[in-house]
């Protein structure tokens, strides 16, 4: 029985946890590759990503086997979406566009079994290595190792961050920096004073309630360094498409430069 969530263990130890967003990757091998490269969790995006659901399930299983926590961003707050992802191997659910405390509480409850929530009881438990412990043990274990991450993507969510973080069952506040910057009228301007104030406010709200803070969408290393110092631990480092394009462009550019010199 696997019975652990490496992401949560790392966050509780006060360490930074780096996530890899999957868009191009369709081979389960990428989970082990991510682990080898130093990533700690997989971002499996079912809100915007093109991945088919059966492929997403294979990636969840591969993440479990490689020790890279599979986190699934569901399309919305519907309990059936979270339940389906958790049944098939997710160790955490990332809920988009959580603006209020009531929404946060409802999301948290969809990811856990009674009495803590309304998660449906599956026939199999990939997170437990497909072992079949007693149902009481399985429910207790899965409630403990499943993480609930709510996305802060609007000015309203930033304003309500303290109340959102206070809801039982919420483990982390995760800023969707791109959406937030657009919503605030400063697309991509992560250094804008209002944006910096919002980021600091969310980190403080999470810290005050004993929750973790995370974010995605920011590539500036200097800014990320300051945000890590302010309390952000769960970082979405980038996606496979961008990494491929950056590496491929640099390599092609270098080789084309050799050709021009010759």
């Amino acid at each position: 029985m696997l019975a652990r969530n490496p992401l949560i263990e790392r966050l509780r130890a006060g360490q930074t946890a780096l996530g890899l967003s999957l868009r191009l990757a369709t081979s389960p091998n990428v989970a082990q590759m991510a682990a080898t490269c130093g990533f700690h969790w997989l971002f499996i995006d079912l809100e915007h990503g093109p991945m088919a659901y059966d492929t997403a399930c294979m990636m969840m299983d591969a993440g479990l086997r490689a020790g890279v926590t599979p986190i699934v961003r569901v399309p919305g707050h519907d309990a059936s979406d979270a339940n389906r992802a958790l049944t098939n191997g997710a160790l955490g659910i990332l809920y988009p566009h959580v603006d209020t405390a009531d929404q946060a509480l409802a999301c948290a409850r969809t990811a856990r079994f009674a009495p803590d929530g309304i998660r449906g009881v599956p026939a199999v438990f990939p997170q437990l290595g497909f072992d079949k412990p007693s149902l009481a043990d399985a429910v207790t274990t899965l409630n403990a190792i499943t993480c609930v991450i709510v996305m802060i993507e609007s000015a309203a969510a930033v304003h309500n961050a303290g109340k959102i973080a206070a809801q039982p069952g919420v483990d982390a506040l995760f800023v969707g920096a791109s959406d937030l910057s657009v919503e605030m009228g400063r697309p991509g301007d992560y250094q804008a004073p209002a944006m910096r104030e919002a980021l600091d406010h969310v980190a403080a709200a999470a810290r005050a309630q004993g929750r973790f803070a995370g974010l995605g969408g920011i590539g500036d290393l200097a800014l990320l360094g300051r945000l890590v110092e302010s309390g952000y631990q769960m970082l979405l480092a980038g996606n496979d498409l961008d990494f491929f394009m950056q590496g491929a462009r640099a390599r092609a550019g270098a080789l084309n430069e050799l050709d021009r010199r010759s």
Side-chain angles (χ1 to χ4, degrees):
M1 190 166 74
L2 300 179
R4 56 187 296 261
N5 184 330
L7 169 62
I8 290 296
E9 292 172 3
R10 189 172 182 87
L11 295 176
R12 287 175 178 165
Q15 299 173 300
T16 300
L18 304 180
L20 172 63
S21 178
L22 303 179
R23 295 190 61 83
L24 290 179
T26 58
S27 168
N29 292 333
V30 76
Q32 188 61 62
M33 294 166 64
T36 299
C37 289
F39 293 96
H40 309 107
W41 56 283
L42 299 179
F43 180 81
I44 301 169
D45 188 4
L46 299 183
E47 182 193 20
H48 294 304
M51 191 176 293
Y53 201 87
D54 58 347
T55 302
C57 292
M58 288 190 290
M59 302 310 296
M60 294 178 216
D61 182 67
L64 293 173
R65 296 173 187 274
V68 183
T69 299
I71 300 294
V72 175
R73 178 162 68 176
V74 289
H77 302 173
D78 192 291
S80 63
D81 290 325
N83 186 62
R84 190 180 185 198
L86 291 168
T87 295
N88 288 289
L91 276 172
I93 300 295
L94 192 66
Y95 295 88
H97 305 291
V98 176
D99 294 328
T100 69
D102 287 345
Q103 289 175 343
L105 179 59
C107 287
R109 287 184 56 77
T110 66
R112 294 198 172 89
F113 300 107
D116 300 324
I118 59 171
R119 177 177 171 181
V121 178
V124 296
F125 304 102
Q127 301 90 336
L128 306 182
F130 293 96
D131 196 7
K132 295 287 285 190
S134 72
L135 186 55
D137 286 345
V139 165
T140 300
T141 299
L142 290 170
N143 273 357
I145 66 174
T146 299
C147 57
V148 171
I149 307 154
V150 297
M151 294 197 71
I152 306 297
E153 303 181 88
S154 69
V158 172
H159 177 76
N160 293 324
K163 294 179 180 178
I164 290 172
Q167 297 310 300
V170 171
D171 295 295
L173 306 187
F174 190 94
V175 178
S178 297
D179 277 86
L180 182 58
S181 71
V182 170
E183 202 270 354
M184 296 178 71
R186 302 297 297 268
D189 187 0
Y190 306 119
Q191 298 280 8
M195 188 71 180
R196 291 293 305 277
E197 182 179 350
L199 290 166
D200 289 343
H201 178 74
V202 172
R207 184 168 57 250
Q209 295 296 333
R211 312 304 189 196
F212 304 110
L215 60 85
I218 296 177
D220 185 297
L221 287 177
L223 176 56
L224 283 174
R226 292 195 293 271
L227 291 170
V228 168
E229 290 178 358
S230 73
Y232 283 91
Q233 292 177 255
M234 187 179 177
L235 305 180
L236 185 59
N239 65 69
D240 52 2
L241 174 60
D242 285 343
F243 291 140
F244 173 83
M245 292 294 292
Q246 291 164 8
R249 181 177 286 116
R251 183 64 171 170
L255 293 176
N256 282 325
E257 182 62 26
L258 290 177
D259 183 60
R260 283 190 288 270
R261 289 176 182 175
S262 65

